[in-house]
Structures are given as structure tokens and as C-alpha cells.
Amino acid sequence: MARPRKRERPVRAPGICDDLQTATHEENAPGREEGIVEKTEEDEVNKKKKKKKKKNKKSEKGKKMGTHKVDGKGKEEENSEKVERSSSFVDNQVVETVNDQLVVEFTESLNKRLRSAVGGRRVNYCIQDQGFEEEEDEMFSTKERKKGRKQKRKPSKPKAEEEEEEEKEDDNDKEDIDKAKDGESDRKGGKRTNEPKGDEKEAKVETRRYPARASKAPKRMREFVSDNTAKKKTLSKDSVMCHQCQRNDKGRVVNCKSCKRKRYCIPCITNWYPKMSEEEIADACPVCRDNCNCKACLRMDGPVNKLKEALEMKFSGDEKLRHSKYLLRALLPQVKKFSEQQMKEKVMEAQIQGSLPSEIKLKQAVCHPAERVYCNNCKTSIVDFHRTCPLCNYDLCLICCQEIHEGHLQGGQKEVTVQYVNRGFKYFHGELDSSMLEEKAKPLDSPVKTNCKELEGVESRWKANGNGSIPCPQKEMGGCAEGLLELRCMFEENAVLKLVENAERIARDLNLEDMPATTNQECPCFSSMAEVDLGDCKLRKAASRKDSNDNYLHCPSAKDIHNGDLNHFQRHWAKGEPVIVSQVFENASGVSWEPMVMWRAFRQITNSKHGQHLDVTAIDCLDWCEAQVNIHQFFKGYTDGRFDSKEWPQILKLKDWPPSNKFEERLPRHHAEFHYCLPFKEYTHSQSGLLNLATKLPEGSLKPDMGPKTYIAYGVAQELGRGDSVTKLHCDMSDAVNVLTHTAEVKLKAEKLAIIEKLKQDHCLQDQKEIFGMAKVDQEIYMGNGGVHEIYGNKFEELEDNEAGAVWDIFRRQDVPKLKDYLTKHFKEFRHTYCCPVPQVVDPIHDQTLFLTLEHKKKLKEEYGIEPWTFIQKLGEAVFIPAGCPHQVRNIKSCIKVALDFVSPENTGECVRLTEEFRLLPQGHRAKEDKLEVRKMILHAMCETVNYLDPQAKIRLKLRKHA
């Protein structure tokens, strides 16, 4: 006997016995769940009486079995007895006679309302008071029932798979029922009895369960269950359950002809797949295309694994040889320069010790591979040779050592703090008072110098001794002022020298020094007369400089890129020119970059151990202050727009979303899709790109964060002048590729535009009074819409393109000195935090506080004769930005961009130059820290290249991990 379960109210069949009284249910519901029957208290009292009558029950069974052998009357008597037992369960009275015609009528009335048989359960309905009870089909064995209960605990399967499995189970059930009806299956006896407790007491019903016992349902009931099962199979084929929303009440659905299992409702197609037509979904649904963005599919690893397999880079022997030669030739000058600096300091150490350089034996410093060593003075990373104090471990890089020997140490300037005053919201839109105007004291052209006299005095007293040795600095600079700095190495002493010698030998053997430089090779973009060839339409005009042949940028299509196009790309890339690649998503799987899809995918990664990240940090482009915003509200404003209390567009941009640098963990589908769509994977592949120096760092070493990272921001087509959706002018230390993955246009109505124009005039009046000290507005300075046409020319038509997303301004490297001069002269005309004028600049580019509007770009060209490459980035375009090229971006629509950093061999010299430039910035500057460690990348890349070209070289750059 099964252990009694807790009593529960039975669940009624929908639409049946609605008028049944609660008391009747409570009497008829003693825990009949999954074929297990509880013992009532009265059963316990009469337990002994039931045992005494056990022999009588067996004899009654024999009589009942005999009735099956007789047709007609015997069968009718059996049906009457079954109806009597069922009725006794409702009102606890023994029914002596039942009219068989009533059974037929009641059964026919149930044909339209009876539920489908699920999992082997059949329903017995009684006549009196329309009571009913549910029993497990006794045809199934005990093991099968237990197995069914275990299956309920398993996670739910997709709808289509459940329907197929249920149809198979229904077919098996039907076969078992037919076998039982024909007497083909083996059966064990079982019985149900109605025993009176006494002469005048109510009868009780007891149901016992036996394995593999045939169903006792009447023939008519068995036929009805078979018909209902067949009906369910028909419904599964005509199901309207949408795979996306898992609902069947949204109207018409589109069935997939490819898999013939999935279907999508029209609302889901409109909302989640706006770029797919019904015909395309009917031919192959998103599941078949591996780009379904429902919750279940976004959690699947299958599409991610497929993309990762496709991303595996396999190079032939000839390709590896060609790329290795290219690397060797590009990196050799930088490695030789690095080695010369080390040998120069070693000669100085020999003079200090009074011996020959060949006799000097340097100590190898202890350094763990996952440790990043910095110079205590300039914060530049240390790769190999350096000086350290044996008493306090003060480290000094070779550049600082050289500057001390020459008597002009740099790189240790005191931190510069720029103060901005928050004057309130009204100030943002033009309101001024007399106290603000009185604050203006210095003329616009006066440069602001950092107050570093105290620290400069300390550094000026830090000089080398007469013999060339360098003492440890004073405590104010972090030293101990007691010991002498000793020259030490991080790799084996002569490892870099051997590397250079082998590299030069291989270059001579391969005649690499006689090969023409990449920049001097003839480019297919130019004709034999050195004129621009626009025949292939792979060029885009981006500037109008006089007497210049770089006004056009290389702009190939991703689907047209072949092996030979890599050389063409390298010719432009080696010159420091940006490259634009269009239609990068043509060959991708097509996963949606809709903001709500990204949010849904991101939320599925979180669990109880991590925060839900429903609030994100956004930056308001009007006052450049951070604020916490609900991510759902942020994305709503992304598509619909947001406005402040004065009806001025509120432009927000997300700061570092997804949080941290775990893009792959938070958004694995989008991470794989982004890497798969990138062109020129020799440079952009973050794991195995042969020409990406960031992949050359050894396993276990501390690697820089190269991305990818998302940049999500609002945007409008009109240039506001204040509060625009911009990335301010800056210069990256490494190369980068930026892909526009999604756009959403926020169109401003006529009444909104009128308000904006009125506020822009108030802003201009405020600038004239506060910055220029003028009482009246100079209408020539306020450009309005006319200036837009004048500056952009033909490119203004591209702003109205449906796929246009952002305006890029990229400056040439050779124009950087003039650009800095202009910005240093006019920096007070720009606004930054709290919408205040910029009070001072340390470096006008690296501070990232300035953005050149149309007006400033016009003045820049008039005063200095330079202009940037200006172009429109469209949806699906990848922009390659060379290291060392200052650039700025303005979003003309709400945009989602994904960017990845890489280090190319052509631009390593520029990366080193920027590293040396950043070390001169004051302490605490945003660009001060050398996180890239490009010199370390160069050495490891050269070591790998030399060992590949000459396996006998066996150069090793090993660190000393333990003392």
C-alpha cells in the first residue's frame, strides 16, 4: 500500500460539473493523485472487517470474470455494476439499478467537453449529481508511473519536442489499449469492491493498484479516449504557438517550411525581426538561420560554438612565411632602437664600475609574468633593463636615467586638478548674473601653466653623481635617499642583444632590407598619372585639401575582400590613413543588435551570485555628469528620445556597458558575431591574428584590455552646439576598429525644432557675454543651418541617408602640431563639465575635453590651413583608425557601436612615440598610465618571428619568477 499523501482539493475538468457543491468534492477527494489512494479514518477502523471478507472478494471476482464470456446480458450486468461503483463514490450510497440508456446519453454529452488523456490518465464520470473522479490508467505498471513522476521534475523542453513526445506516447497508449481489448497482452487480476460497513451503513470504495492490469473502462469509454488522442495529434500539427513569445493568442502565425516545426506570430515578427519579411521566415525561420533572439535561443551555446569554430584562423605555410617576413621587417627598427638604449646604459654602468662593458654581469630582477612593473617617476612600463634601489626597491626606467644624466628630468610633474563650478540647470540654457561676468579676468589667448614649482624644485636637485651613478631620490619622490640605483635586467642579460643579431642575420639572408617599403609601392587607387581612379568606386572623398593626394579614403566592401586586398589595405594603412569597410554584416549569422535584444541576452547571463545590472551609469552630454538610469528607461529614450524641462534634447550615453571588461561572458552571442564579421582578421583577430601584436604576449602574462566594448548613445541629426552626442577629441595609443551595429532615428517635430533654435540663440548670447565679453550677439558667429551646408557640402545629403549614423573627423598625424596650437589658443571657447568654459588644458588632445563644432573647423582651416578627414559612418561599416590620429565623433542618430583595439606592425613606431608623450603628462592624468606595454609586445612578437624563420635560433625571453 502506498504511503498516504497530504489531502488536496481535486482539480476539476474545465467546463464540467461547475455546479458541483464543495461538500461533495471534500467527500470524494481523499488524496487521489497519480493513482495513489489514501486510507480514510473509517477505513482504518474497518481494516479487520475487510481482511475477513477477502476470500469473499476473490469468489466474487471469479463470478465477474465469467460474465465476460457471455454476450448480451452478462455484459450489461458488468456495465451496471461499474456504474453502481462509480456512483457510490459521489454520494456514498449503493446504487442498485441503473438505466443503461442514461449511460449512453451522459457519455455522448461528455464527448464535446472531456479533456484529452495525458500521461495515461483516464477519467471516470458518475451519473448521480454529475460527480467524477480521476484515476491512473491501470494498464501502466508501477515502474512506468514512477518514471512519469520523475520526468515531471525535469526542465521543460521546447514546445515542438513536447508535442512530438506526447504524440508518440499517445500512439503507444492507443496500441496498449487495443491489445488489452483484443486479449493480446498479459494481464494480472485486480478488483474494486463496494463493501457495506453494516446493514444500514454507507458503502466505501477501495481502489487497489496492480502492475500491467488492463483498463476497466467500458468499451465506449475506451473508444472515446482513442478518438481524443487522435484529435490531439491533429491539433499539434495545426498549432499556433509562437516560438518567440510562447503564446497562441496573438492571431496569425507564419510556419517555417524548412524545419516544419517552428512558427512565429505577426507581432513578434514586427517587433523582433523588422528586417525579415514573412516570406523569408516561411522559407527559413530564425531558428534555422541561427539568429533567433528569443530567451531560450539566446542562452544556447550551439550558435556560439559554430561561430567560434568558423573563427579559428588556419594559415598555410606560405601565408605564415609571408607574414613573418613582413613582421620582421616592420619590427626590426624598433627592436634595434630598444637594444641601443640598453647597451648605452650598460656602457654607463661599466664606467661607474671602472670595467669593460663585456665584463659587466647584471643581476636578473625577480618578476612574475602576471606582474606589471612601472617606473616610479614617469609611470612608464619597464620591459627589461632598469635601475632599482636595493634598499627600498625604487625603480627607474632607462629614459628617466638618461634625462638625469643630461640634467633635465621630466615625467614626474605634480597632478593638475581642474575645478568646474556647478551653477545650476538654468545656467545650462543661457541664464547669467553679474557675479559670473566678473569672474572673467584673463584674456582668451593667455596660456595656463600648471603650478608645479614645489615638485620641480625637488626634481631639479636630483642629479647624478660625478662618476655617473644615480642616488635614490628623496622621500618626497618616493625614494629613501640612501642607496644607489643598480642596473638590473628582467630577461636574461643578453637576450635582447641575441634577438637583434639573429633578426639582422635573417633579414640579410632573405634580402628583406632591399625590398621596397610598403608606403612607396604603387597603389591601385591611383592611375599612372598619379591621379585618383574612381572607376572601381572603392574610394570615398573625405577632405578638400589643396595639393594633396590623400583626400580620398580607401572604402572596400566586406564581401568583395579577397586575399589580394590585404596588400592594398596595407599600403593605405602604412601611410597612416583610415580605412572604411562597408557591409561587414553581410557574411554574418544575422544576430540582432537591437538594444532590447542585447538587454535580454545580457540579463540571461546574470544569476543570483551577480547583480541584475538593471541600473546603468549614463553620462549626460549637456553637463558631462554621471547618473544612474534604469536600463529599460534608457533604451526607451534611445528609440523615442528624451527631453528636459525646457524641451531641450537630453542626450545620454552609456559608460562602459556591459560592466567590466567581460564582454564575452555577458554577451557571448554578440561577442562571437562581432569577431566573425570583422574584416582583415590577420589584424583584428584577438586570439590568432598573425599581424596583431597583442596576440604575441605569452600565456600567463598580464595582458591589456583590448576590448571589444560597446558604445551606446542617443543622437539627433541637428548639431546642437551644446549637449551634442559626441565623443570628444582624443588620440588612442593603439590602433582601433569601430563598427556601427545599430541605429535608431529620433525625428524632432516642428515645434521642438522651434524651441531648440530659440535656446541656441540664448546659448550664443551667453557665450558672447561670458566668453568674448560682448554685449550684443554677432550674427556671423551664430551660423544656424546655413553653416551646416557650407561645411559639409555634398556630404550633407548623406546625413539624410537612412543608414547614416555618425559623423567622423580624423586628423592626420602631420597636422597634430598645428591642431594643438589652435586648441591651445581657443580652448576657453569650449565648454565641458557643468557646461562651464574650460579653464585650462594640460594637453588639448589627451585631456579629451574639447570638441570642434562646424564653426571651429571652419576657423581652423582659415587660420592654419588644415582640415580633418570628415565622413559619414553608415550602418554596418567598420572604421579603421590608425594609432596617433586624433579623432572625434558626433552621433546624428541613436547609435550602438562596438570597438576593438589592436596593435599593427606598421604603427608600432607611433605607439612608442605616444608612450613617450604620455609619460610627460602630470601625475593622475587620464592618459598617464602605460597600460598597453607596446615595447613588451614588440619584443615577444620579434622573438616568435625569429624562432619561426630560424628554428635553430631558440631565443627565449624568460623571467625570473623566484628569488
Side-chain angles (χ1 to χ4, degrees), residues 326 518 566-574 683 691 906:
Y326 190 82
T518 305
L566 180 62
N567 295 331
H568 191 183
F569 167 81
Q570 290 174 338
R571 292 170 188 171
H572 289 275
W573 190 247
Y683 289 89
L691 298 178
E906 297 90 346

Side-chain angles (χ1 to χ4, degrees), residues 727-740:
T727 299
K728 296 196 173 184
L729 186 68
H730 67 286
C731 186
D732 294 326
M733 184 184 293
S734 63
D735 305 304
V737 55
N738 186 296
V739 181
L740 180 59

Side-chain angles (χ1 to χ4, degrees), residues 416-436:
V416 177
T417 303
V418 181
Q419 298 292 339
Y420 292 92
V421 180
N422 185 2
R423 297 186 173 95
F425 176 75
K426 293 182 179 179
Y427 173 79
F428 299 165
H429 291 297
E431 293 192 10
L432 286 171
D433 54 35
S434 58
S435 61
M436 298 178 188

Side-chain angles (χ1 to χ4, degrees), residues 624 653 726-732 808-812 815-816 819-820 822-824 830 832 843-853 857 860 868 885-890 926:
W624 292 96
K653 54 190 297 188
V726 298
T727 299
K728 296 196 173 184
L729 186 68
H730 67 286
C731 186
D732 294 326
W808 283 72
D809 296 310
I810 304 179
F811 289 88
R812 300 184 299 181
D815 295 335
V816 171
L819 175 63
K820 285 189 175 183
Y822 174 85
L823 296 175
T824 303
F830 298 85
H832 190 51
D843 187 289
I845 295 178
H846 301 321
D847 288 356
Q848 199 170 347
T849 58
L850 312 178
F851 178 84
L852 281 82
T853 60
K857 285 187 287 186
L860 175 63
C885 289
H887 56 280
Q888 62 180 22
V889 187
R890 183 176 77 86
R926 59 177 300 276

Side-chain angles (χ1 to χ4, degrees), residues 863-878:
E863 296 181 16
Y864 288 87
I866 62 172
E867 65 172 301
W869 288 294
T870 301
F871 58 89
I872 308 296
Q873 183 185 21
K874 300 180 181 179
L875 183 64
E877 288 187 344

Side-chain angles (χ1 to χ4, degrees), residues 268-316:
C268 285
I269 295 175
T270 304
N271 295 332
W272 297 104
Y273 306 95
K275 296 183 179 180
M276 294 185 65
S277 63
E278 296 183 19
E279 291 77 10
E280 292 176 335
I281 292 181
D283 294 337
C285 66
V287 176
C288 299
R289 300 173 186 265
D290 289 332
N291 59 13
C292 180
N293 54 48
C294 73
K295 292 182 179 179
C297 292
L298 285 174
R299 292 196 300 262
M300 295 176 61
D301 295 332
V304 179
N305 295 333
K306 288 182 180 179
L307 289 175
K308 288 183 177 180
E309 292 177 0
L311 274 172
E312 293 181 0
M313 299 289 292
K314 296 181 180 179
F315 297 98
S316 63

Side-chain angles (χ1 to χ4, degrees), residues 136-341:
E136 286 293 323
D137 195 333
E138 295 173 350
M139 175 174 292
F140 294 95
S141 63
T142 305
K143 292 182 178 180
E144 290 174 340
R145 291 192 184 101
K146 291 181 178 179
K147 182 178 180 181
R149 289 195 294 272
K150 291 180 179 179
Q151 290 176 348
K152 290 183 179 181
R153 299 187 185 97
K154 296 180 179 179
S156 59
K157 298 181 179 180
K159 189 70 180 177
E161 297 182 6
E162 284 186 359
E163 292 176 355
E164 292 182 357
E165 293 183 0
E166 288 177 0
E167 290 173 5
K168 294 179 181 179
E169 292 177 359
D170 294 338
D171 294 340
N172 296 335
D173 296 345
K174 185 175 180 181
E175 293 178 2
D176 292 341
I177 293 173
D178 294 339
K179 290 181 181 180
K181 186 170 70 173
D182 297 337
E184 296 176 358
S185 60
D186 296 335
R187 290 179 286 211
K188 294 185 179 181
K191 56 183 177 297
R192 289 179 60 186
T193 59
N194 295 332
E195 287 188 2
K197 297 179 181 178
D199 296 336
E200 298 179 358
K201 291 183 178 181
E202 295 178 350
K204 294 290 181 180
V205 179
E206 179 181 358
T207 303
R208 295 186 181 275
R209 187 176 60 191
Y210 295 90
R213 187 175 65 177
S215 174
K216 289 188 175 182
K219 181 177 181 181
R220 289 182 297 275
M221 183 63 71
R222 294 200 301 268
E223 292 175 352
F224 181 78
V225 170
S226 286
D227 293 340
N228 188 56
T229 304
K231 182 179 178 182
K232 182 174 181 178
K233 291 176 65 176
T234 304
L235 286 175
S236 65
K237 294 179 180 179
D238 299 334
S239 175
V240 293
M241 180 71 72
C242 174
H243 174 77
Q244 182 80 15
C245 62
Q246 292 294 301
R247 295 180 62 177
N248 58 1
D249 57 349
K250 289 189 175 181
R252 185 168 59 89
V253 297
V254 177
N255 293 277
C256 178
K257 299 178 183 178
S258 178
C259 63
K260 299 181 180 180
R261 294 173 56 187
K262 306 298 181 184
R263 61 202 71 84
Y264 289 79
C265 65
I266 301 303
C268 285
I269 295 175
T270 304
N271 295 332
W272 297 104
Y273 306 95
K275 296 183 179 180
M276 294 185 65
S277 63
E278 296 183 19
E279 291 77 10
E280 292 176 335
I281 292 181
D283 294 337
C285 66
V287 176
C288 299
R289 300 173 186 265
D290 289 332
N291 59 13
C292 180
N293 54 48
C294 73
K295 292 182 179 179
C297 292
L298 285 174
R299 292 196 300 262
M300 295 176 61
D301 295 332
V304 179
N305 295 333
K306 288 182 180 179
L307 289 175
K308 288 183 177 180
E309 292 177 0
L311 274 172
E312 293 181 0
M313 299 289 292
K314 296 181 180 179
F315 297 98
S316 63
D318 294 339
E319 289 176 329
K320 290 182 179 180
L321 179 61
R322 184 174 69 255
H323 293 324
S324 296
K325 292 180 180 179
Y326 190 82
L327 276 173
L328 181 66
R329 182 180 177 184
L331 300 181
L332 184 56
Q334 298 300 325
V335 178
K336 290 173 63 176
K337 182 179 178 181
F338 183 78
S339 178
E340 290 173 358
Q341 291 178 349

